[in-house]
Amino acid sequence: MFAAATYRSRRAILAQAMDDIGLFPASPPSPMNYTANPHAYVQDSCFAYYFGIPQPFLVGAIDFDSGEAFIFGDEPTMDDLIWLGSATPPAEWAERSGVTHVLPYAELPAWLTKNRRGRIVHYTPPFRGTVTIQLSEWLGIPVPDIAQRASSPLVRAIVAQREIKSGEEIVEMESALAITAEMHAAAMRFSRPGVMEHEVSGAIEGVARAADRTLAYPVIFSARGEILHNTMHDRRLAAGDLVVNDSGASSQLGYASDITRTVPIGGHFDAKQRLCYELVLSAQKAAIEACRAGTLYLAVHRLSARVMMEGLVAEGLFRGDPDAIVETGAYALCFPHGVGHQIGLDVHDMEALGEDLVGYDHTVRRSELFGLRNLRMAKALKPGMVVTVEPGLYFIPRLIDRWEKEGRYMEFIDYEKVRSFLGIHGIRIEDDVLVTDGAPRVLGPGIPKEIGEVEAALSG
Ligand code: GLY
Ligand code: MN
Ligand code: MN
């Protein structure tokens, strides 16, 4: 945990922005197949942000009017001690969180009845069924209505606070990236013809586990990089494959990292791979450079698309004005996702609070265009935000066939020429970038991405 003062100050800032009461349930454990066999525990990130305690079966409450905070939780039972060894009483956790009021879990409904006095009880949209049911019981709201009655004012206040990272949060994110750099180095060492994808993805995950870290999200390690979130690892790598490795560790306090590199199996990019890789790398560098306070992230997205389209026009895959190719949405044939997202305690930070409330505001609405509608954030960047910058080029056979059959963007796209690049599959390059008052800062140690560096890492 951070020092108690961090959590006290975070709650005080939130209390200044809010009225009434806020409830923050900790995440319950997530069973794999029966209750006593859970997945690795991941705390709810709002609870983690405001209370920091890495334990389930707790609820945090903040009286926004008085500024007081409360923890509801029970003493460890003898069974807890015998089977789990966890002996930390809630009062001790609460102290580490700077909370002085500690009450038994079962007293939450009575506490609400006594303290509510007609006030609103704010909560964030739950993403776990058990939390939905608990909120329903505590607040007397029918289960089907819980999601829609989540508090927009609370979500907006949390987003405004959590999207600006403090110095100690950046230190956490860089500590995650230090492990992630080792994960990518291991992947480059292990990636060679004849090796199965799951052998490499296992080695990647092993680096995180050996460092007592968890993954921030399941490893994507695939020679079928055109399948954007492909978590299958079922192919044997062959010379000439390009493999997308999108993997990142969490820090000890649960902050995410999210890095993608694309590597040639056999150790060298061929001419076509080199051409496409350089386009993605140029787009990524231009996009990183554009991550300046006040710039719309939408403009960063468009810039990365335009850089790639300029190159593909020069190669004859697209024709016409690159700006028109971007404006009309034709580019999304080869770049159907957004340039990135915010990152923090969640790899897609705060996505559970509602993507539009996190990434869009009154100045910019989500596009309905294919591809662009997947952009998770479009609003202006602010100092202290951390965003990923992850443009990619993909050659997706069924999408190409569908668009050609439907006669889409015929004036801009040479479908035959595009098909001649199907062997590339997919290329993505992703870094985590801190927006500052001046130049953007790529977080973490350098992870090879220049062609020479990647080829050298593979041969090492
Ligand atoms: N690792 C998932 C993403 O890049 O969004
Ligand atoms: Mn990402
Ligand atoms: Mn990623």
Side-chain angles (χ1 to χ4, degrees):
M1 289 173 67
F2 291 122
T6 292
Y7 302 106
R8 267 199 300 265
S9 138
R10 287 172 174 181
R11 292 190 298 264
I13 290 167
L14 185 64
Q16 270 175 7
M18 293 294 301
D19 293 319
D20 305 322
I21 292 171
L23 272 193
F24 299 86
S27 263
S30 175
M32 283 191 222
N33 38 19
Y34 55 92
T35 308
N37 195 30
H39 289 285
Y41 184 67
V42 179
Q43 184 55 282
D44 174 273
S45 51
C46 284
F47 184 90
Y49 187 83
Y50 292 106
F51 294 91
I53 306 169
Q55 291 288 317
F57 308 122
L58 298 171
V59 182
I62 308 174
D63 184 322
F64 293 132
D65 301 323
S66 71
E68 288 175 303
F70 301 79
I71 290 284
F72 294 86
D74 294 329
E75 296 298 313
T77 62
M78 187 49 74
D79 272 353
D80 290 336
L81 299 176
I82 292 168
W83 290 89
L84 306 172
S86 83
T88 309
E92 214 170 289
W93 285 119
E95 192 182 338
R96 291 174 65 183
S97 183
V99 176
T100 44
H101 304 289
V102 183
L103 295 158
Y105 196 89
E107 281 187 22
L108 177 55
W111 180 86
L112 276 175
T113 306
K114 183 163 161 235
N115 290 281
R116 205 166 165 170
R117 299 189 305 271
R119 294 185 294 169
I120 297 169
V121 179
H122 300 271
Y123 61 89
T124 57
F127 55 93
R128 297 281 295 274
T130 37
V131 174
T132 302
I133 292 166
Q134 283 273 249
L135 287 167
S136 164
E137 286 173 6
W138 293 329
L139 302 175
I141 297 171
V143 163
D145 298 344
I146 281 286
Q148 117 207 15
R149 289 183 53 183
S151 167
S152 303
L154 179 61
V155 166
R156 283 181 215 284
I158 290 173
V159 170
Q161 190 174 3
R162 279 181 56 188
E163 72 184 2
I164 307 301
K165 271 59 182 181
S166 67
E168 61 186 352
E169 290 182 289
I170 299 300
V171 169
E172 275 297 301
M173 295 179 79
E174 297 220 85
S175 87
L177 284 160
I179 304 298
T180 299
E182 288 179 28
M183 289 158 58
H184 281 264
M188 290 183 196
R189 281 197 308 277
F190 276 87
S191 295
R192 54 182 178 271
V195 170
M196 292 295 293
E197 288 172 348
H198 56 75
E199 293 180 72
V200 186
S201 71
I204 293 169
E205 184 160 353
V207 171
R209 301 296 300 122
D212 199 21
R213 300 293 169 81
T214 54
L215 296 172
Y217 54 93
V219 171
I220 296 166
F221 182 88
S222 175
R224 290 291 170 273
E226 78 278 17
I227 306 169
L228 300 180
H229 279 179
N230 185 5
T231 47
M232 303 274 282
H233 304 126
D234 56 351
R235 298 183 67 86
R236 192 173 293 284
L237 301 176
D241 283 344
L242 273 185
V243 179
V244 169
N245 173 14
D246 185 344
S247 51
S250 295
S251 76
Q252 207 169 25
L253 301 189
Y255 283 81
S257 60
D258 185 8
I259 296 289
T260 307
R261 292 294 184 262
T262 304
V263 302
I265 302 306
H268 296 283
F269 292 90
D270 69 23
K272 229 177 214 171
Q273 291 172 343
R274 184 173 284 263
L275 177 122
C276 292
Y277 187 92
E278 289 290 10
L279 284 182
V280 177
L281 186 58
S282 303
Q284 201 232 12
K285 287 179 180 171
I288 290 172
E289 190 50 36
C291 286
R292 306 267 169 168
T295 300
L296 287 182
Y297 194 60
L298 173 63
V300 176
H301 175 88
R302 287 210 173 107
L303 174 64
S304 68
R306 203 192 71 216
V307 172
M308 292 191 287
M309 288 306 117
E310 281 166 1
L312 294 187
V313 166
E315 291 303 315
L317 287 76
F318 284 74
R319 51 186 166 244
D321 174 8
D323 281 327
I325 295 169
V326 173
E327 199 55 41
T328 55
Y331 76 94
L333 178 68
C334 292
F335 177 30
H337 63 74
V339 73
H341 47 84
Q342 295 202 56
I343 178 167
L345 277 164
D346 313 306
V347 62
H348 293 175
D349 209 22
M350 302 176 279
E351 200 160 294
L353 302 182
E355 240 179 83
D356 280 353
L357 290 172
V358 175
Y360 291 78
D361 59 17
H362 65 283
T363 66
V364 52
R365 296 227 162 279
R366 187 183 286 269
S367 167
E368 286 176 5
L369 275 179
F370 173 85
L372 191 55
R373 67 175 174 239
N374 298 331
L375 183 62
R376 295 190 151 89
M377 173 161 118
K379 70 186 186 185
L381 296 166
K382 294 185 200 139
M385 282 183 172
V386 181
V387 292
T388 66
V389 178
E390 50 178 307
L393 271 183
Y394 309 90
F395 296 89
I396 305 169
R398 277 189 279 193
L399 182 63
I400 295 166
D401 290 348
R402 164 87 65 94
W403 276 29
E404 186 176 30
K405 202 162 138 222
E406 292 174 356
R408 290 216 202 180
Y409 300 114
M410 299 307 273
E411 70 276 37
F412 292 125
I413 300 172
D414 182 335
Y415 283 97
E416 256 338 282
K417 186 80 188 190
V418 168
R419 267 201 195 86
S420 71
F421 279 70
L422 281 173
I424 295 288
H425 294 283
I427 298 173
R428 177 165 66 256
I429 306 172
E430 174 173 29
D431 281 303
D432 304 340
V433 176
L434 171 66
V435 181
T436 74
D437 286 318
R441 190 173 124 208
V442 177
L443 295 180
I447 299 175
K449 66 178 176 179
E450 298 294 336
I451 281 186
E453 294 171 349
V454 172
E455 291 185 346
L458 286 164
S459 71

Coordinates of all heavy atoms in Angstrom, one line a residue, residues 217 220 228-229 245-248 257-260 341 347-348 388 390 428 430 432, ligand 3:
Y217 N -3.0 -8.3 -18.1 CA -4.1 -8.8 -19.0 C -3.5 -10.0 -19.6 O -2.3 -10.2 -19.6 CB -4.4 -7.7 -20.1 CG -3.3 -7.2 -20.8 CD1 -2.8 -7.8 -22.0 CD2 -2.5 -6.2 -20.3 CE1 -1.7 -7.3 -22.7 CE2 -1.3 -5.7 -21.0 CZ -1.0 -6.3 -22.2 OH 0.1 -5.8 -22.9
I220 N -1.0 -11.7 -25.3 CA -1.3 -11.9 -26.7 C 0.1 -12.2 -27.4 O 1.0 -11.3 -27.3 CB -1.9 -10.6 -27.4 CG1 -3.3 -10.4 -26.7 CG2 -2.0 -10.8 -28.9 CD1 -3.8 -9.0 -27.0
L228 N -7.0 -9.2 -33.4 CA -6.5 -8.1 -32.5 C -6.2 -8.6 -31.1 O -5.2 -8.3 -30.5 CB -7.4 -6.9 -32.5 CG -7.6 -6.3 -33.9 CD1 -8.5 -5.1 -33.8 CD2 -6.2 -5.9 -34.5
H229 N -7.2 -9.3 -30.5 CA -7.0 -9.7 -29.1 C -7.0 -11.3 -29.1 O -7.7 -11.9 -28.4 CB -8.1 -9.2 -28.2 CG -7.8 -7.8 -27.7 ND1 -8.7 -7.1 -26.9 CD2 -6.8 -7.0 -27.9 CE1 -8.2 -5.9 -26.7 NE2 -7.0 -5.8 -27.3
N245 N 3.6 -9.5 -30.0 CA 3.7 -9.8 -28.6 C 3.1 -8.6 -27.8 O 3.8 -7.6 -27.7 CB 5.1 -10.1 -28.2 CG 5.3 -10.2 -26.6 OD1 4.3 -10.4 -25.9 ND2 6.5 -10.2 -26.2
D246 N 1.9 -8.7 -27.3 CA 1.2 -7.7 -26.5 C 1.1 -8.2 -25.1 O 0.3 -9.0 -24.8 CB -0.1 -7.4 -27.1 CG -0.8 -6.2 -26.5 OD1 -0.5 -5.8 -25.4 OD2 -1.8 -5.7 -27.1
S247 N 2.0 -7.8 -24.2 CA 2.0 -8.3 -22.9 C 2.6 -7.3 -21.9 O 3.4 -6.5 -22.2 CB 2.8 -9.6 -22.8 OG 4.1 -9.4 -23.4
G248 N 2.0 -7.3 -20.7 CA 2.5 -6.4 -19.6 C 2.2 -6.9 -18.2 O 1.2 -7.6 -18.0
S257 N 0.8 -2.2 -17.0 CA 1.7 -1.7 -18.1 C 1.1 -2.5 -19.3 O 0.5 -3.5 -19.2 CB 3.1 -2.0 -17.8 OG 3.3 -3.4 -17.7
D258 N 1.4 -1.9 -20.5 CA 0.8 -2.5 -21.7 C 1.7 -2.2 -22.9 O 1.7 -1.0 -23.3 CB -0.6 -1.8 -21.9 CG -1.4 -2.3 -23.0 OD1 -1.0 -3.4 -23.6 OD2 -2.5 -1.7 -23.4
I259 N 2.4 -3.2 -23.3 CA 3.5 -3.0 -24.3 C 3.3 -4.0 -25.4 O 3.1 -5.2 -25.2 CB 4.9 -3.2 -23.7 CG1 5.2 -2.1 -22.6 CG2 6.0 -3.2 -24.7 CD1 5.4 -0.7 -23.1
T260 N 3.4 -3.5 -26.6 CA 3.4 -4.4 -27.8 C 4.7 -4.3 -28.6 O 5.1 -3.1 -28.9 CB 2.2 -4.2 -28.7 OG1 1.0 -4.2 -27.9 CG2 2.1 -5.3 -29.8
H341 N -5.5 4.2 -25.3 CA -6.4 4.3 -24.2 C -5.6 4.8 -23.0 O -4.4 4.7 -23.0 CB -7.1 3.0 -23.9 CG -6.1 1.8 -23.8 ND1 -5.4 1.5 -22.7 CD2 -5.6 1.0 -24.8 CE1 -4.6 0.5 -22.9 NE2 -4.7 0.2 -24.2
V347 N -5.7 -1.8 -17.1 CA -5.0 -1.6 -18.3 C -5.7 -0.7 -19.3 O -5.1 0.2 -19.9 CB -4.6 -3.0 -19.0 CG1 -5.8 -3.8 -19.4 CG2 -3.7 -2.8 -20.2
H348 N -7.0 -0.9 -19.4 CA -7.9 0.2 -20.0 C -8.5 0.9 -18.9 O -9.5 0.6 -18.3 CB -9.0 -0.4 -20.9 CG -8.5 -1.2 -22.1 ND1 -9.4 -1.9 -22.9 CD2 -7.3 -1.3 -22.6 CE1 -8.7 -2.4 -23.9 NE2 -7.4 -2.1 -23.7
T388 N -1.7 4.9 -23.7 CA -0.9 4.0 -24.6 C -0.9 4.6 -26.0 O -1.9 5.3 -26.4 CB -1.5 2.6 -24.7 OG1 -2.7 2.6 -25.4 CG2 -1.6 2.0 -23.3
E390 N -0.5 3.0 -29.7 CA -0.3 1.7 -30.2 C -1.0 1.5 -31.6 O -1.9 0.7 -31.8 CB -1.0 0.6 -29.3 CG -2.4 1.0 -28.8 CD -3.0 -0.1 -27.9 OE1 -3.0 -1.3 -28.3 OE2 -3.4 0.2 -26.8
R428 N 1.9 -4.4 -34.6 CA 1.5 -3.3 -33.7 C 2.7 -3.0 -32.8 O 3.4 -3.9 -32.5 CB 0.3 -3.8 -32.8 CG -0.2 -2.8 -31.8 CD -1.6 -3.1 -31.2 NE -1.6 -4.3 -30.4 CZ -2.2 -5.4 -30.8 NH1 -2.8 -5.5 -32.0 NH2 -2.2 -6.5 -30.0
E430 N 3.5 -0.7 -29.3 CA 2.7 0.0 -28.3 C 3.7 0.4 -27.1 O 4.4 -0.4 -26.6 CB 1.6 -0.9 -27.7 CG 0.9 -0.4 -26.5 CD -0.3 -1.3 -26.1 OE1 -0.2 -2.5 -26.3 OE2 -1.3 -0.7 -25.5
D432 N 3.7 3.1 -23.4 CA 2.9 3.8 -22.4 C 3.5 5.2 -22.2 O 4.7 5.3 -21.9 CB 2.9 3.0 -21.1 CG 2.4 1.6 -21.3 OD1 1.7 1.3 -22.3 OD2 2.6 0.7 -20.4
Ligands
MN3 MN -1.6 -3.9 -25.5

